[in-house]
């Protein structure tokens, strides 16, 4: 099996993004994460900060839109989804790369030789990590994790109909808390 | 992290048992699979064939017992569960080993240095494999897979309250269909 694209889905704070960057660096291929945001911003006209949230997380408005779906016309989230879908497909055509988040696993499922990875860890590990990486906030780290995970899963489920975090959707899933970031990098690299 | 015990949960036909045996052989440690059956049979007085089913799969009787749980006294499945629980705990105390199935992941979660693995594959891969390994049956291989998976998940859920196949319950999950049996063996061995 020749895997041209590695997609990394991840729980908030699990280090999935860091793992993606390290894998890409060691393999000498690009890692698309913020680069995706910038491209989507350029094409859509939305600000990067808006896309960061709206292109991966279900918001209150997003959820109320689901419930009134029958009458709703396409909204910002749908518009972003289509741009995101096209940009991810085009980048995968261009060459080998790592893609972090943004439902790339689903978008590329029939289009590329894809190694689909999911990174997770328990809440304690992630809580400690997000305070280190992103600093303190008014909300507790545990609350931030619950909120982000829930909204990410809802977004993923709505656009892909895949259950987020179910082993069956991935080639491999790794617990970065028990295995450690470096070991996760080695395993993924070894499968490329 | 020093992992003394490797537990392997698996979808029916995914090759989890084969992977467990190969890992154990290459590491020079015992793999408990049929050996568990024999021990449970000796202690419980039940026949091995009965335990093979009742100690891992929800049967019709098992399910009806769940629904009438309030009035039910402990039944055969509960009795077997307690023997299984004790035998698995004792074997893990004795030394490093691989344990296949039988909720060992849950039983050992606080008792041993444990690497918890889940092996799965898509239905087409498993259907082909079970016909090769176990031969043809009157039921279609797809039907056999659906039935076994459903009953295994129900049993696991009832005794452990863990959702079977959720990435979050394991250190790693591997798709033996896309990665191949040998690569799964190598990854697990490398983490020992």
């Amino acid at each position: 099996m020749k895997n041209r694209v590695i997609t990394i889905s991840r729980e908030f704070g699990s280090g999935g993004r860091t793992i993606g960057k390290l894998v890409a660096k060691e393999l000498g291929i690009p890692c698309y994460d913020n680069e995706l945001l910038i491209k989507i911003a350029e094409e859509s006209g939305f600000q990067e900060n808006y896309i960061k949230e709206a292109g991966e997380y279900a918001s209150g408005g997003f959820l109320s839109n689901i419930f009134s779906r029958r009458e709703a016309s396409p909204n910002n989230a749908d518009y972003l989804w289509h741009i995101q879908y096209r940009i991810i497909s085009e980048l995968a055509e261009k060459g080998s790369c790592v893609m972090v988040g943004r439902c790339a696993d689903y978008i590329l499922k029939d289009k590329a030789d894809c190694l689909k990875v999911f990174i997770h860890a328990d809440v304690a590990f992630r809580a400690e990590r997000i305070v280190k990486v992103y600093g303190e906030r008014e909300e507790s780290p545990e609350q931030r994790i619950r909120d982000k995970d829930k909204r990410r899963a809802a977004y993923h489920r709505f656009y892909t109909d895949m259950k987020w975090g179910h082993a069956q959707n991935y080639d491999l899933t790794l617990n970065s808390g028990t295995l450690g970031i470096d070991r996760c990098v080695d395993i993924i690299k070894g499968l490329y």
Side-chain angles (χ1 to χ4, degrees), chain A:
Chain A
M1 192 173 61
K2 191 184 152 223
N3 291 304
R4 290 183 51 244
V5 181
I6 298 170
T7 63
I8 298 190
S9 297
R10 73 291 182 220
E11 288 184 336
F12 179 59
S14 66
R17 198 162 68 97
T18 305
I19 292 169
K21 295 258 174 225
L22 289 170
V23 167
K25 198 178 158 193
E26 296 196 22
L27 292 173
I29 59 177
C31 177
Y32 297 118
D33 173 37
N34 276 328
E35 298 76 0
L36 279 177
L37 274 186
I38 295 166
K39 277 179 187 288
I40 296 166
E42 280 167 5
E43 292 213 17
S44 66
F46 287 116
Q47 293 192 358
E48 284 170 37
N49 265 346
Y50 176 78
I51 295 162
K52 200 167 187 170
E53 280 290 308
E56 200 162 42
Y57 296 104
S59 65
F62 174 90
L63 290 172
S64 73
N65 187 257
I66 290 177
F67 294 117
S68 60
R69 198 71 184 171
R70 238 176 300 178
E71 301 136 59
S73 52
N75 61 1
N76 286 356
D78 290 340
Y79 172 60
L80 280 181
W81 170 254
H82 287 292
I83 293 176
Q84 184 163 314
Y85 194 101
R86 185 165 44 77
I87 290 175
I88 287 175
S89 304
E90 285 170 4
L91 286 172
E93 279 292 307
K94 271 178 58 184
S96 296
C97 61
V98 176
M99 302 240 189
V100 179
R102 311 216 151 250
C103 304
D105 47 0
Y106 172 79
I107 293 171
L108 299 176
K109 71 181 165 36
D110 302 318
K111 305 198 178 196
D113 239 347
C114 213
L115 181 74
K116 297 191 291 292
V117 182
F118 180 74
I119 308 288
H120 63 95
D122 70 20
V123 172
F125 174 86
R126 295 192 282 147
E128 201 185 314
R129 210 175 155 279
I130 64 169
V131 172
K132 261 191 217 149
V133 177
Y134 306 106
E136 297 276 2
R137 296 272 197 288
E138 205 179 311
E139 273 182 308
S140 74
E142 291 78 10
Q143 186 54 45
R144 286 157 67 192
I145 285 170
R146 268 192 299 275
D147 176 62
K148 287 259 189 188
D149 278 353
K150 209 160 92 178
R151 296 193 297 126
R152 211 177 256 179
Y155 181 89
H156 206 277
R157 186 71 193 272
F158 183 72
Y159 280 108
T160 72
D161 206 32
M162 280 162 73
K163 282 185 189 160
W164 199 65
H166 272 220
Q168 285 83 349
N169 292 326
Y170 307 96
D171 296 307
L172 77 159
T173 77
L174 300 167
N175 183 333
S176 56
T178 58
L179 302 176
I181 302 271
D182 291 344
R183 242 186 305 199
C184 293
V185 172
D186 286 344
I187 292 173
I188 298 168
K189 215 178 57 184
L191 286 171
Y192 186 72

